[in-house]
Amino acid sequence: MPSPSYSPNIVLIVADNLGWGELGCYGGGALRGAPTPNIDALAKQGLLLQNFNVESDCVPTRSALMSGRHPIRTGCLQSVPPGLPQGLTRREITLAQLLSARGYATAHYGKWHLGDVPGRFPSDRGFDEWYGIPRTTDESQFTSTVGFDPSVVELPWIMRGRSGEPSEGVKVYDLEARRQIDADLVDMSIGFMRRQREAGKPFFLYLPLVHLHFPTLPHPEFAGRTGAGDFADSMVEMDHRVGQVVRALDEMGAAEDTLLIFCSDNGPEFRAPYRGTAGPWSGTYHTAMEGSLRVPFIARWPGRIAPGRVSNEIVHVTDLFTTLAGVAGAELPQDRPIDGVDQLPFLLGEQEKSAREAFPFYIKNELRAVKWRDWKLHFYWEPEVNEGKGKLESPYLFNITRDPKETTDVLVYNTWVLGPVLKLVKAFQDSFARHPNTPPGQLDD
């Protein structure tokens, strides 16, 4: 375990809608027409998780990461259009706030999606500086859409801001800017890391990339690179961008002082022509299928995380909040439920097992499923987006080790599983009475 006086750097790169089956180290890569040598090499240098789980949509996952709390608690249930209340209330304490209080330089470059009004921008929520988009990537299509009317919908902007100053628009986020943005984000990230390294200050870099969210369009330098279309070209670009960050850390001699994590916020895109893959799992994001829950996760920390390790232990995105706070020596909030658990001993190989074996999975206000050990209990059945059959009178139970596609309900043979799973649900929902959930769209006081 790091000593209390040791403040390692933290670099958290989050891809957008990168499915479990896309990368070479997860069985994709060249098979998808898009080799990913940089990320594959990163996996060999550290720990690859096969059972890292997220939420159903961009906003819920990012809120869980930043707050350590399930979205049902924070009101961050789904993406909403510009001009409507959204994001984390200022009552929530963010990971960036905890790390900033520990003396970290903090920067956010990329997609925020946790508030788009003064008081809720990244620079208001613990980040010293930020550059990127306040909401989502599909807004880059707005100005190219036939009939678009800027008098009724806000123009999408790339923005920037610094702590203690108002955030401001830099340029309209259109399709040309969408192709360029990840290159700009990585350039700024490398500059930030170098400045802090020269100053001798520990840093937290949060780099939520725009790829592979639709419209999945590559930088001009990567357009046509694979011969397999825009999606594959964008995959190759994403791999290159991650490689740039890793090389920069290595070149500045910061690798051994830096916990670097690469993961995804959601399962694969489901919209044609940008539809991705979850490999052996069924489903895409916006469902409760394994293809929605499981996404890539790689952690590298030379000298602390053993290279070449692979694990199928359950880890949840809320755990990043608690684990990274612990890495920095920060104290967790004590006045609210924190759902994330400390996974640092597991990441470091000090224990073989994860610190968790279950979690509930909500979509908006509905408890869709619970994942426990090798089991998944579905209360609603929606294997494809927008094709739900409603709440099930009798839940479906799948053993996801024996049945990764979730095709054969085995509840009738394993009703014993209902006991521990429903006890977990009751304990979780009982906590709502003691600590009421924030309703969606809640304004700040």
Side-chain angles (χ1 to χ4, degrees), residues 196-226:
Q196 307 313 321
R197 185 69 174 173
E198 291 170 0
K201 188 168 186 178
F203 57 81
F204 170 45
L205 168 64
Y206 178 40
L207 174 55
L209 295 168
V210 168
H211 280 330
L212 297 162
H213 195 290
F214 85 98
T216 315
L217 303 174
H219 188 280
E221 293 178 1
F222 288 83
R225 179 76 64 92
T226 67

PDB file of all heavy atoms in Angstrom, residues 196-226:
ATOM      1  N   GLN A 196       3.278  19.836 -14.570  1.00  0.00           N
ATOM      2  CA  GLN A 196       3.225  19.405 -13.174  1.00  0.00           C
ATOM      3  C   GLN A 196       4.456  18.594 -12.803  1.00  0.00           C
ATOM      4  O   GLN A 196       4.960  18.694 -11.676  1.00  0.00           O
ATOM      5  CB  GLN A 196       1.950  18.590 -12.918  1.00  0.00           C
ATOM      6  CG  GLN A 196       0.669  19.270 -13.339  1.00  0.00           C
ATOM      7  CD  GLN A 196       0.564  20.717 -12.894  1.00  0.00           C
ATOM      8  OE1 GLN A 196       0.966  21.073 -11.783  1.00  0.00           O
ATOM      9  NE2 GLN A 196       0.037  21.572 -13.767  1.00  0.00           N
ATOM     10  N   ARG A 197       4.953  17.806 -13.732  1.00  0.00           N
ATOM     11  CA  ARG A 197       6.167  17.024 -13.470  1.00  0.00           C
ATOM     12  C   ARG A 197       7.350  17.949 -13.219  1.00  0.00           C
ATOM     13  O   ARG A 197       8.140  17.738 -12.290  1.00  0.00           O
ATOM     14  CB  ARG A 197       6.452  16.113 -14.666  1.00  0.00           C
ATOM     15  CG  ARG A 197       7.630  15.161 -14.478  1.00  0.00           C
ATOM     16  CD  ARG A 197       7.328  14.092 -13.460  1.00  0.00           C
ATOM     17  NE  ARG A 197       8.393  13.097 -13.376  1.00  0.00           N
ATOM     18  CZ  ARG A 197       8.444  12.130 -12.481  1.00  0.00           C
ATOM     19  NH1 ARG A 197       7.478  12.013 -11.586  1.00  0.00           N
ATOM     20  NH2 ARG A 197       9.438  11.261 -12.466  1.00  0.00           N
ATOM     21  N   GLU A 198       7.459  18.989 -14.023  1.00  0.00           N
ATOM     22  CA  GLU A 198       8.548  19.957 -13.842  1.00  0.00           C
ATOM     23  C   GLU A 198       8.408  20.718 -12.529  1.00  0.00           C
ATOM     24  O   GLU A 198       9.410  21.080 -11.898  1.00  0.00           O
ATOM     25  CB  GLU A 198       8.574  20.930 -15.016  1.00  0.00           C
ATOM     26  CG  GLU A 198       8.999  20.277 -16.335  1.00  0.00           C
ATOM     27  CD  GLU A 198       8.785  21.178 -17.534  1.00  0.00           C
ATOM     28  OE1 GLU A 198       8.301  22.328 -17.334  1.00  0.00           O
ATOM     29  OE2 GLU A 198       9.080  20.755 -18.667  1.00  0.00           O
ATOM     30  N   ALA A 199       7.166  20.940 -12.118  1.00  0.00           N
ATOM     31  CA  ALA A 199       6.924  21.666 -10.869  1.00  0.00           C
ATOM     32  C   ALA A 199       7.022  20.762  -9.644  1.00  0.00           C
ATOM     33  O   ALA A 199       6.969  21.246  -8.506  1.00  0.00           O
ATOM     34  CB  ALA A 199       5.547  22.327 -10.911  1.00  0.00           C
ATOM     35  N   GLY A 200       7.136  19.443  -9.868  1.00  0.00           N
ATOM     36  CA  GLY A 200       7.225  18.510  -8.758  1.00  0.00           C
ATOM     37  C   GLY A 200       5.926  18.334  -8.004  1.00  0.00           C
ATOM     38  O   GLY A 200       5.928  17.999  -6.812  1.00  0.00           O
ATOM     39  N   LYS A 201       4.801  18.542  -8.696  1.00  0.00           N
ATOM     40  CA  LYS A 201       3.495  18.457  -8.036  1.00  0.00           C
ATOM     41  C   LYS A 201       2.739  17.220  -8.532  1.00  0.00           C
ATOM     42  O   LYS A 201       2.696  16.952  -9.727  1.00  0.00           O
ATOM     43  CB  LYS A 201       2.678  19.714  -8.350  1.00  0.00           C
ATOM     44  CG  LYS A 201       1.380  19.810  -7.563  1.00  0.00           C
ATOM     45  CD  LYS A 201       0.760  21.190  -7.688  1.00  0.00           C
ATOM     46  CE  LYS A 201      -0.459  21.316  -6.767  1.00  0.00           C
ATOM     47  NZ  LYS A 201      -1.080  22.651  -6.816  1.00  0.00           N
ATOM     48  N   PRO A 202       2.149  16.440  -7.624  1.00  0.00           N
ATOM     49  CA  PRO A 202       1.351  15.286  -8.076  1.00  0.00           C
ATOM     50  C   PRO A 202       0.148  15.771  -8.868  1.00  0.00           C
ATOM     51  O   PRO A 202      -0.421  16.834  -8.584  1.00  0.00           O
ATOM     52  CB  PRO A 202       0.934  14.607  -6.772  1.00  0.00           C
ATOM     53  CG  PRO A 202       0.958  15.696  -5.752  1.00  0.00           C
ATOM     54  CD  PRO A 202       2.094  16.607  -6.155  1.00  0.00           C
ATOM     55  N   PHE A 203      -0.248  14.978  -9.844  1.00  0.00           N
ATOM     56  CA  PHE A 203      -1.355  15.422 -10.695  1.00  0.00           C
ATOM     57  C   PHE A 203      -2.388  14.325 -10.891  1.00  0.00           C
ATOM     58  O   PHE A 203      -2.089  13.128 -10.844  1.00  0.00           O
ATOM     59  CB  PHE A 203      -0.843  15.929 -12.048  1.00  0.00           C
ATOM     60  CG  PHE A 203      -0.025  14.948 -12.848  1.00  0.00           C
ATOM     61  CD1 PHE A 203      -0.623  13.960 -13.626  1.00  0.00           C
ATOM     62  CD2 PHE A 203       1.368  15.038 -12.848  1.00  0.00           C
ATOM     63  CE1 PHE A 203       0.137  13.079 -14.376  1.00  0.00           C
ATOM     64  CE2 PHE A 203       2.143  14.154 -13.596  1.00  0.00           C
ATOM     65  CZ  PHE A 203       1.518  13.163 -14.357  1.00  0.00           C
ATOM     66  N   PHE A 204      -3.611  14.789 -11.094  1.00  0.00           N
ATOM     67  CA  PHE A 204      -4.727  13.936 -11.490  1.00  0.00           C
ATOM     68  C   PHE A 204      -5.197  14.418 -12.849  1.00  0.00           C
ATOM     69  O   PHE A 204      -5.717  15.526 -12.974  1.00  0.00           O
ATOM     70  CB  PHE A 204      -5.865  14.015 -10.472  1.00  0.00           C
ATOM     71  CG  PHE A 204      -7.153  13.355 -10.918  1.00  0.00           C
ATOM     72  CD1 PHE A 204      -7.151  12.111 -11.523  1.00  0.00           C
ATOM     73  CD2 PHE A 204      -8.377  13.985 -10.706  1.00  0.00           C
ATOM     74  CE1 PHE A 204      -8.337  11.497 -11.928  1.00  0.00           C
ATOM     75  CE2 PHE A 204      -9.568  13.388 -11.086  1.00  0.00           C
ATOM     76  CZ  PHE A 204      -9.547  12.144 -11.708  1.00  0.00           C
ATOM     77  N   LEU A 205      -4.974  13.599 -13.856  1.00  0.00           N
ATOM     78  CA  LEU A 205      -5.438  13.892 -15.206  1.00  0.00           C
ATOM     79  C   LEU A 205      -6.645  13.016 -15.504  1.00  0.00           C
ATOM     80  O   LEU A 205      -6.543  11.787 -15.502  1.00  0.00           O
ATOM     81  CB  LEU A 205      -4.327  13.618 -16.234  1.00  0.00           C
ATOM     82  CG  LEU A 205      -4.779  13.612 -17.705  1.00  0.00           C
ATOM     83  CD1 LEU A 205      -5.283  14.983 -18.133  1.00  0.00           C
ATOM     84  CD2 LEU A 205      -3.644  13.140 -18.610  1.00  0.00           C
ATOM     85  N   TYR A 206      -7.774  13.654 -15.764  1.00  0.00           N
ATOM     86  CA  TYR A 206      -8.979  12.957 -16.185  1.00  0.00           C
ATOM     87  C   TYR A 206      -9.173  13.264 -17.661  1.00  0.00           C
ATOM     88  O   TYR A 206      -9.422  14.405 -18.046  1.00  0.00           O
ATOM     89  CB  TYR A 206     -10.168  13.435 -15.356  1.00  0.00           C
ATOM     90  CG  TYR A 206     -11.506  12.818 -15.722  1.00  0.00           C
ATOM     91  CD1 TYR A 206     -11.625  11.476 -16.044  1.00  0.00           C
ATOM     92  CD2 TYR A 206     -12.660  13.596 -15.711  1.00  0.00           C
ATOM     93  CE1 TYR A 206     -12.862  10.916 -16.364  1.00  0.00           C
ATOM     94  CE2 TYR A 206     -13.897  13.054 -16.020  1.00  0.00           C
ATOM     95  CZ  TYR A 206     -13.993  11.724 -16.352  1.00  0.00           C
ATOM     96  OH  TYR A 206     -15.224  11.184 -16.659  1.00  0.00           O
ATOM     97  N   LEU A 207      -9.036  12.218 -18.486  1.00  0.00           N
ATOM     98  CA  LEU A 207      -9.067  12.371 -19.941  1.00  0.00           C
ATOM     99  C   LEU A 207     -10.197  11.516 -20.516  1.00  0.00           C
ATOM    100  O   LEU A 207      -9.982  10.390 -20.964  1.00  0.00           O
ATOM    101  CB  LEU A 207      -7.713  11.968 -20.534  1.00  0.00           C
ATOM    102  CG  LEU A 207      -7.562  11.917 -22.054  1.00  0.00           C
ATOM    103  CD1 LEU A 207      -7.956  13.236 -22.707  1.00  0.00           C
ATOM    104  CD2 LEU A 207      -6.134  11.540 -22.433  1.00  0.00           C
ATOM    105  N   PRO A 208     -11.437  12.019 -20.487  1.00  0.00           N
ATOM    106  CA  PRO A 208     -12.554  11.291 -21.092  1.00  0.00           C
ATOM    107  C   PRO A 208     -12.617  11.577 -22.590  1.00  0.00           C
ATOM    108  O   PRO A 208     -13.139  12.606 -23.028  1.00  0.00           O
ATOM    109  CB  PRO A 208     -13.779  11.831 -20.355  1.00  0.00           C
ATOM    110  CG  PRO A 208     -13.363  13.140 -19.778  1.00  0.00           C
ATOM    111  CD  PRO A 208     -11.878  13.229 -19.785  1.00  0.00           C
ATOM    112  N   LEU A 209     -12.041  10.682 -23.370  1.00  0.00           N
ATOM    113  CA  LEU A 209     -11.967  10.858 -24.817  1.00  0.00           C
ATOM    114  C   LEU A 209     -13.357  10.903 -25.443  1.00  0.00           C
ATOM    115  O   LEU A 209     -14.339  10.427 -24.869  1.00  0.00           O
ATOM    116  CB  LEU A 209     -11.162   9.710 -25.434  1.00  0.00           C
ATOM    117  CG  LEU A 209      -9.681   9.632 -25.058  1.00  0.00           C
ATOM    118  CD1 LEU A 209      -9.100   8.296 -25.501  1.00  0.00           C
ATOM    119  CD2 LEU A 209      -8.907  10.789 -25.688  1.00  0.00           C
ATOM    120  N   VAL A 210     -13.420  11.432 -26.662  1.00  0.00           N
ATOM    121  CA  VAL A 210     -14.679  11.478 -27.394  1.00  0.00           C
ATOM    122  C   VAL A 210     -14.921  10.171 -28.156  1.00  0.00           C
ATOM    123  O   VAL A 210     -16.054   9.694 -28.243  1.00  0.00           O
ATOM    124  CB  VAL A 210     -14.692  12.694 -28.339  1.00  0.00           C
ATOM    125  CG1 VAL A 210     -15.842  12.616 -29.330  1.00  0.00           C
ATOM    126  CG2 VAL A 210     -14.795  13.982 -27.525  1.00  0.00           C
ATOM    127  N   HIS A 211     -13.882   9.565 -28.719  1.00  0.00           N
ATOM    128  CA  HIS A 211     -14.061   8.270 -29.396  1.00  0.00           C
ATOM    129  C   HIS A 211     -14.510   7.207 -28.402  1.00  0.00           C
ATOM    130  O   HIS A 211     -14.049   7.197 -27.255  1.00  0.00           O
ATOM    131  CB  HIS A 211     -12.737   7.816 -30.009  1.00  0.00           C
ATOM    132  CG  HIS A 211     -12.411   8.469 -31.315  1.00  0.00           C
ATOM    133  ND1 HIS A 211     -13.361   8.906 -32.221  1.00  0.00           N
ATOM    134  CD2 HIS A 211     -11.217   8.765 -31.896  1.00  0.00           C
ATOM    135  CE1 HIS A 211     -12.762   9.426 -33.280  1.00  0.00           C
ATOM    136  NE2 HIS A 211     -11.468   9.369 -33.090  1.00  0.00           N
ATOM    137  N   LEU A 212     -15.472   6.329 -28.739  1.00  0.00           N
ATOM    138  CA  LEU A 212     -15.979   6.028 -30.061  1.00  0.00           C
ATOM    139  C   LEU A 212     -17.453   6.437 -30.204  1.00  0.00           C
ATOM    140  O   LEU A 212     -18.181   5.837 -30.992  1.00  0.00           O
ATOM    141  CB  LEU A 212     -15.870   4.524 -30.326  1.00  0.00           C
ATOM    142  CG  LEU A 212     -14.463   3.949 -30.345  1.00  0.00           C
ATOM    143  CD1 LEU A 212     -14.503   2.445 -30.170  1.00  0.00           C
ATOM    144  CD2 LEU A 212     -13.757   4.277 -31.650  1.00  0.00           C
ATOM    145  N   HIS A 213     -17.878   7.452 -29.486  1.00  0.00           N
ATOM    146  CA  HIS A 213     -19.272   7.878 -29.506  1.00  0.00           C
ATOM    147  C   HIS A 213     -19.665   8.358 -30.905  1.00  0.00           C
ATOM    148  O   HIS A 213     -18.876   8.996 -31.590  1.00  0.00           O
ATOM    149  CB  HIS A 213     -19.461   9.007 -28.487  1.00  0.00           C
ATOM    150  CG  HIS A 213     -20.882   9.308 -28.152  1.00  0.00           C
ATOM    151  ND1 HIS A 213     -21.748   9.899 -29.038  1.00  0.00           N
ATOM    152  CD2 HIS A 213     -21.589   9.110 -27.007  1.00  0.00           C
ATOM    153  CE1 HIS A 213     -22.922  10.065 -28.460  1.00  0.00           C
ATOM    154  NE2 HIS A 213     -22.854   9.586 -27.226  1.00  0.00           N
ATOM    155  N   PHE A 214     -20.917   8.069 -31.263  1.00  0.00           N
ATOM    156  CA  PHE A 214     -21.389   8.516 -32.575  1.00  0.00           C
ATOM    157  C   PHE A 214     -21.549  10.037 -32.610  1.00  0.00           C
ATOM    158  O   PHE A 214     -21.852  10.623 -31.574  1.00  0.00           O
ATOM    159  CB  PHE A 214     -22.706   7.809 -32.937  1.00  0.00           C
ATOM    160  CG  PHE A 214     -23.951   8.470 -32.374  1.00  0.00           C
ATOM    161  CD1 PHE A 214     -24.719   9.321 -33.159  1.00  0.00           C
ATOM    162  CD2 PHE A 214     -24.375   8.235 -31.068  1.00  0.00           C
ATOM    163  CE1 PHE A 214     -25.869   9.926 -32.666  1.00  0.00           C
ATOM    164  CE2 PHE A 214     -25.521   8.827 -30.563  1.00  0.00           C
ATOM    165  CZ  PHE A 214     -26.264   9.686 -31.367  1.00  0.00           C
ATOM    166  N   PRO A 215     -21.333  10.704 -33.728  1.00  0.00           N
ATOM    167  CA  PRO A 215     -20.833  10.178 -34.993  1.00  0.00           C
ATOM    168  C   PRO A 215     -19.339   9.828 -34.857  1.00  0.00           C
ATOM    169  O   PRO A 215     -18.529  10.674 -34.480  1.00  0.00           O
ATOM    170  CB  PRO A 215     -21.054  11.329 -35.978  1.00  0.00           C
ATOM    171  CG  PRO A 215     -20.976  12.556 -35.131  1.00  0.00           C
ATOM    172  CD  PRO A 215     -21.578  12.164 -33.803  1.00  0.00           C
ATOM    173  N   THR A 216     -19.017   8.577 -35.132  1.00  0.00           N
ATOM    174  CA  THR A 216     -17.658   8.061 -34.920  1.00  0.00           C
ATOM    175  C   THR A 216     -16.809   8.400 -36.142  1.00  0.00           C
ATOM    176  O   THR A 216     -16.695   7.608 -37.079  1.00  0.00           O
ATOM    177  CB  THR A 216     -17.698   6.552 -34.649  1.00  0.00           C
ATOM    178  OG1 THR A 216     -18.747   6.274 -33.709  1.00  0.00           O
ATOM    179  CG2 THR A 216     -16.368   6.066 -34.093  1.00  0.00           C
ATOM    180  N   LEU A 217     -16.220   9.590 -36.106  1.00  0.00           N
ATOM    181  CA  LEU A 217     -15.501  10.145 -37.253  1.00  0.00           C
ATOM    182  C   LEU A 217     -14.038  10.363 -36.885  1.00  0.00           C
ATOM    183  O   LEU A 217     -13.737  11.018 -35.883  1.00  0.00           O
ATOM    184  CB  LEU A 217     -16.127  11.475 -37.678  1.00  0.00           C
ATOM    185  CG  LEU A 217     -17.620  11.412 -38.035  1.00  0.00           C
ATOM    186  CD1 LEU A 217     -18.155  12.819 -38.305  1.00  0.00           C
ATOM    187  CD2 LEU A 217     -17.858  10.515 -39.240  1.00  0.00           C
ATOM    188  N   PRO A 218     -13.101   9.845 -37.685  1.00  0.00           N
ATOM    189  CA  PRO A 218     -11.687   9.957 -37.345  1.00  0.00           C
ATOM    190  C   PRO A 218     -11.096  11.314 -37.694  1.00  0.00           C
ATOM    191  O   PRO A 218     -11.641  12.075 -38.507  1.00  0.00           O
ATOM    192  CB  PRO A 218     -11.053   8.863 -38.218  1.00  0.00           C
ATOM    193  CG  PRO A 218     -11.924   8.826 -39.434  1.00  0.00           C
ATOM    194  CD  PRO A 218     -13.326   9.058 -38.919  1.00  0.00           C
ATOM    195  N   HIS A 219      -9.986  11.608 -37.051  1.00  0.00           N
ATOM    196  CA  HIS A 219      -9.172  12.763 -37.412  1.00  0.00           C
ATOM    197  C   HIS A 219      -8.778  12.634 -38.883  1.00  0.00           C
ATOM    198  O   HIS A 219      -8.569  11.518 -39.386  1.00  0.00           O
ATOM    199  CB  HIS A 219      -7.928  12.782 -36.521  1.00  0.00           C
ATOM    200  CG  HIS A 219      -7.086  14.008 -36.657  1.00  0.00           C
ATOM    201  ND1 HIS A 219      -6.195  14.183 -37.703  1.00  0.00           N
ATOM    202  CD2 HIS A 219      -6.973  15.108 -35.876  1.00  0.00           C
ATOM    203  CE1 HIS A 219      -5.575  15.325 -37.554  1.00  0.00           C
ATOM    204  NE2 HIS A 219      -6.038  15.917 -36.450  1.00  0.00           N
ATOM    205  N   PRO A 220      -8.646  13.759 -39.616  1.00  0.00           N
ATOM    206  CA  PRO A 220      -8.270  13.666 -41.034  1.00  0.00           C
ATOM    207  C   PRO A 220      -7.019  12.832 -41.288  1.00  0.00           C
ATOM    208  O   PRO A 220      -6.916  12.169 -42.331  1.00  0.00           O
ATOM    209  CB  PRO A 220      -8.060  15.133 -41.424  1.00  0.00           C
ATOM    210  CG  PRO A 220      -8.974  15.892 -40.523  1.00  0.00           C
ATOM    211  CD  PRO A 220      -8.948  15.148 -39.224  1.00  0.00           C
ATOM    212  N   GLU A 221      -6.068  12.846 -40.354  1.00  0.00           N
ATOM    213  CA  GLU A 221      -4.847  12.068 -40.562  1.00  0.00           C
ATOM    214  C   GLU A 221      -5.090  10.560 -40.480  1.00  0.00           C
ATOM    215  O   GLU A 221      -4.249   9.778 -40.922  1.00  0.00           O
ATOM    216  CB  GLU A 221      -3.795  12.470 -39.526  1.00  0.00           C
ATOM    217  CG  GLU A 221      -3.284  13.897 -39.695  1.00  0.00           C
ATOM    218  CD  GLU A 221      -2.277  14.276 -38.627  1.00  0.00           C
ATOM    219  OE1 GLU A 221      -1.957  13.415 -37.766  1.00  0.00           O
ATOM    220  OE2 GLU A 221      -1.821  15.432 -38.641  1.00  0.00           O
ATOM    221  N   PHE A 222      -6.240  10.158 -39.928  1.00  0.00           N
ATOM    222  CA  PHE A 222      -6.555   8.736 -39.797  1.00  0.00           C
ATOM    223  C   PHE A 222      -7.671   8.288 -40.732  1.00  0.00           C
ATOM    224  O   PHE A 222      -7.952   7.098 -40.832  1.00  0.00           O
ATOM    225  CB  PHE A 222      -6.920   8.408 -38.346  1.00  0.00           C
ATOM    226  CG  PHE A 222      -5.740   8.442 -37.415  1.00  0.00           C
ATOM    227  CD1 PHE A 222      -5.304   9.644 -36.871  1.00  0.00           C
ATOM    228  CD2 PHE A 222      -5.048   7.280 -37.117  1.00  0.00           C
ATOM    229  CE1 PHE A 222      -4.207   9.687 -36.029  1.00  0.00           C
ATOM    230  CE2 PHE A 222      -3.946   7.310 -36.271  1.00  0.00           C
ATOM    231  CZ  PHE A 222      -3.520   8.517 -35.733  1.00  0.00           C
ATOM    232  N   ALA A 223      -8.304   9.239 -41.415  1.00  0.00           N
ATOM    233  CA  ALA A 223      -9.393   8.898 -42.320  1.00  0.00           C
ATOM    234  C   ALA A 223      -8.870   8.019 -43.454  1.00  0.00           C
ATOM    235  O   ALA A 223      -7.912   8.369 -44.138  1.00  0.00           O
ATOM    236  CB  ALA A 223     -10.027  10.169 -42.883  1.00  0.00           C
ATOM    237  N   GLY A 224      -9.489   6.873 -43.642  1.00  0.00           N
ATOM    238  CA  GLY A 224      -9.067   5.940 -44.680  1.00  0.00           C
ATOM    239  C   GLY A 224      -7.897   5.066 -44.290  1.00  0.00           C
ATOM    240  O   GLY A 224      -7.435   4.256 -45.097  1.00  0.00           O
ATOM    241  N   ARG A 225      -7.399   5.191 -43.073  1.00  0.00           N
ATOM    242  CA  ARG A 225      -6.196   4.482 -42.650  1.00  0.00           C
ATOM    243  C   ARG A 225      -6.383   2.958 -42.723  1.00  0.00           C
ATOM    244  O   ARG A 225      -5.467   2.247 -43.141  1.00  0.00           O
ATOM    245  CB  ARG A 225      -5.833   4.895 -41.221  1.00  0.00           C
ATOM    246  CG  ARG A 225      -4.611   4.214 -40.622  1.00  0.00           C
ATOM    247  CD  ARG A 225      -3.316   4.774 -41.171  1.00  0.00           C
ATOM    248  NE  ARG A 225      -3.122   6.174 -40.825  1.00  0.00           N
ATOM    249  CZ  ARG A 225      -2.461   6.605 -39.748  1.00  0.00           C
ATOM    250  NH1 ARG A 225      -1.959   5.717 -38.891  1.00  0.00           N
ATOM    251  NH2 ARG A 225      -2.304   7.900 -39.548  1.00  0.00           N
ATOM    252  N   THR A 226      -7.526   2.442 -42.327  1.00  0.00           N
ATOM    253  CA  THR A 226      -7.701   0.993 -42.247  1.00  0.00           C
ATOM    254  C   THR A 226      -8.323   0.377 -43.491  1.00  0.00           C
ATOM    255  O   THR A 226      -8.176  -0.822 -43.733  1.00  0.00           O
ATOM    256  CB  THR A 226      -8.597   0.619 -41.054  1.00  0.00           C
ATOM    257  OG1 THR A 226      -9.933   1.111 -41.295  1.00  0.00           O
ATOM    258  CG2 THR A 226      -8.064   1.215 -39.761  1.00  0.00           C
TER     259      THR A 226
END
